[in-house]
Amino acid sequence: MQRSEPAAEVSATMSACRVAPPGFSREQWQELSERGIVILDDALTPDEVARYRDAVDRVCARNPDYVEGKTDYRVSNAVEADPAIAELIDHPRHVGYAYDLYGEMLKVIRSDIFVRPRDTDSNLWHPDSPRAVPYRVFAPELPLRLSIGYWLTDLPRAQMGNFVYLPGSHRDQCLDGYYSHEPAPGEEILRVRAGAMTIYDGNLWHRVEPNRTGVVRKNIFIAYCPSWVCAGDRLLSDPAWLATLNREQRIIMRSYAHPHDYTNPAADDFPLFLERETGADTDAGVPERIPLRLRKRRTAAERLNADVRGGER
Ligand SMILES: O=C(O)CCC(=O)C(=O)O
């Protein structure tokens, strides 16, 4: 399908664009590549923790069956559930990490609130991907899903409903303990203060510890992918809710009625962000005659991989 984009419209969109927020440092990228997870302590201030906890509590309170301390609760498409959670879609605290990977095709694949009180169900070992033919079969180099976790409860020890992961396992197709709770040699149990942020490769094998304490574990995950990977928690977003979002948030939700748009988004959705270093909306040297939406833009992940390997490939 051919689309024409009048130059005046393209430049009007451009003037409203933001520069991409910061993403991975070289060290963080190396850590993600080697371990499959990066843990950032104290990423949130106590006030920010309180703001997101209040949002989680507001969402829980809307469920007439919810009983604090008793109900094991998961809310999917959490961004639509509360404006404080919607602001995470493009929050500069973390969106640059996802933009580093997915660039101009960035999309929220799913967003979840988890509330895990004492003695409730906990997840078995799994990666976040299709199981029969995982993402990694097609994308052995870069993850097709990147999860950002916001931790809203102090988790100083094991047996608190902690996230448990096996460092380096994002490169493995199989795990002996798959679909069980069996501890794996080398596993690490996430012990963090409220306010920590995690960034993990969706191919990383993980499970959840039982919660044997009276502390209710609360957290939010927001995960990203390229626009053409199907979302995990919605088909389309509510149009009335979309109308409350800013431009970048609306684009990153990728609520497209026409299937073709998932691989070839419309001109209005470009640029999503401007280059961090140059403020440009395009890579150098691309002929002007090619419309912006059809121009290849190099992602930071491409650059970081070349850098970590010590040269271009
Ligand atoms: O709640 C957690 O810590 C992990 C949840 C999980 O396993 C998942 O969302 O895939």
Side-chain angles (χ1 to χ4, degrees):
M1 181 169 49
Q2 290 293 324
R3 292 193 186 91
S4 63
E5 38 257 307
E9 275 179 32
V10 172
S11 56
T13 309
M14 256 284 290
S15 63
C17 288
R18 285 157 54 190
V19 169
F24 288 98
S25 65
R26 194 177 188 277
E27 293 69 33
Q28 288 170 334
W29 182 253
Q30 198 137 18
E31 195 170 345
L32 186 81
S33 308
E34 285 170 16
R35 286 171 48 84
I37 187 166
V38 176
I39 301 166
L40 302 173
D41 291 318
D42 304 318
L44 303 180
T45 65
D47 283 353
E48 289 168 334
V49 172
R51 176 173 169 72
Y52 297 127
R53 272 188 73 103
D54 287 350
V56 168
D57 291 345
R58 276 193 296 275
V59 175
C60 292
R62 289 208 296 268
N63 173 0
D65 298 328
Y66 181 80
V67 180
E68 178 75 11
K70 293 265 182 260
T71 313
D72 183 1
Y73 200 35
R74 174 181 188 158
V75 178
S76 296
N77 197 16
V79 290
E80 276 201 43
D82 192 277
I85 302 178
E87 78 187 24
L88 296 182
I89 297 168
D90 66 335
H91 202 292
R93 198 188 292 114
H94 71 259
V95 79
Y97 297 109
Y99 186 73
D100 278 356
L101 273 160
Y102 310 121
E104 290 291 295
M105 309 293 276
L106 181 65
K107 163 170 136 174
V108 168
I109 187 168
R110 63 176 304 135
S111 55
D112 294 276
I113 291 170
F114 281 100
V115 175
R116 298 186 180 280
R118 183 199 292 273
D119 291 338
T120 47
D121 268 1
S122 51
N123 305 28
L124 308 168
W125 280 111
H126 66 282
D128 289 338
S129 79
R131 308 298 157 79
V133 186
Y135 290 144
R136 201 178 155 77
V137 173
F138 308 99
E141 208 163 305
L142 294 174
L144 286 182
R145 172 170 165 157
L146 186 79
S147 263
I148 309 292
Y150 278 90
W151 299 90
L152 306 177
T153 312
D154 284 332
L155 302 170
R157 50 187 180 279
Q159 305 262 295
M160 294 189 77
N162 319 60
F163 181 82
V164 185
Y165 55 94
L166 184 61
S169 63
H170 55 302
R171 291 184 291 266
D172 298 332
Q173 300 284 351
C174 308
L175 185 85
D176 285 346
Y178 176 38
Y179 215 57
S180 83
H181 283 297
E182 276 307 299
E187 72 176 23
E188 292 182 6
I189 298 176
L190 186 74
R191 296 174 176 88
V192 284
R193 286 184 297 278
M197 181 165 99
T198 47
I199 306 168
Y200 76 85
D201 175 324
N203 298 314
L204 185 74
W205 289 84
H206 56 281
R207 67 177 179 89
V208 175
E209 275 273 274
N211 188 350
R212 304 285 182 230
T213 72
V215 176
V216 181
R217 191 208 96 174
K218 296 182 180 177
N219 88 304
I220 302 170
F221 283 118
I222 181 158
Y224 298 87
C225 66
S227 58
W228 38 267
V229 169
C230 70
D233 58 3
R234 64 194 185 277
L235 289 172
L236 294 173
S237 301
D238 174 16
W241 173 75
L242 281 175
T244 67
L245 303 182
N246 69 29
R247 174 178 180 269
E248 291 77 22
Q249 292 166 347
R250 182 187 51 73
I251 294 173
I252 296 170
M253 291 309 294
R254 307 281 173 188
S255 187
Y256 296 141
H258 196 295
H260 181 77
D261 288 356
Y262 288 92
T263 47
N264 292 75
D268 282 356
D269 289 354
F270 294 95
L272 170 55
F273 289 115
L274 304 174
E275 289 298 318
R276 240 172 243 142
E277 293 79 17
T278 61
D281 62 355
T282 189
D283 290 4
V286 183
E288 280 295 317
R289 67 185 165 73
I290 301 175
L292 198 59
R293 72 182 177 87
L294 300 180
R295 293 183 193 176
K296 162 79 172 72
R297 265 179 73 184
R298 198 156 188 244
T299 64
E302 287 178 282
R303 278 194 287 271
L304 282 159
N305 264 357
D307 185 28
V308 165
R309 289 192 192 106
E312 289 294 313
R313 289 179 3 130

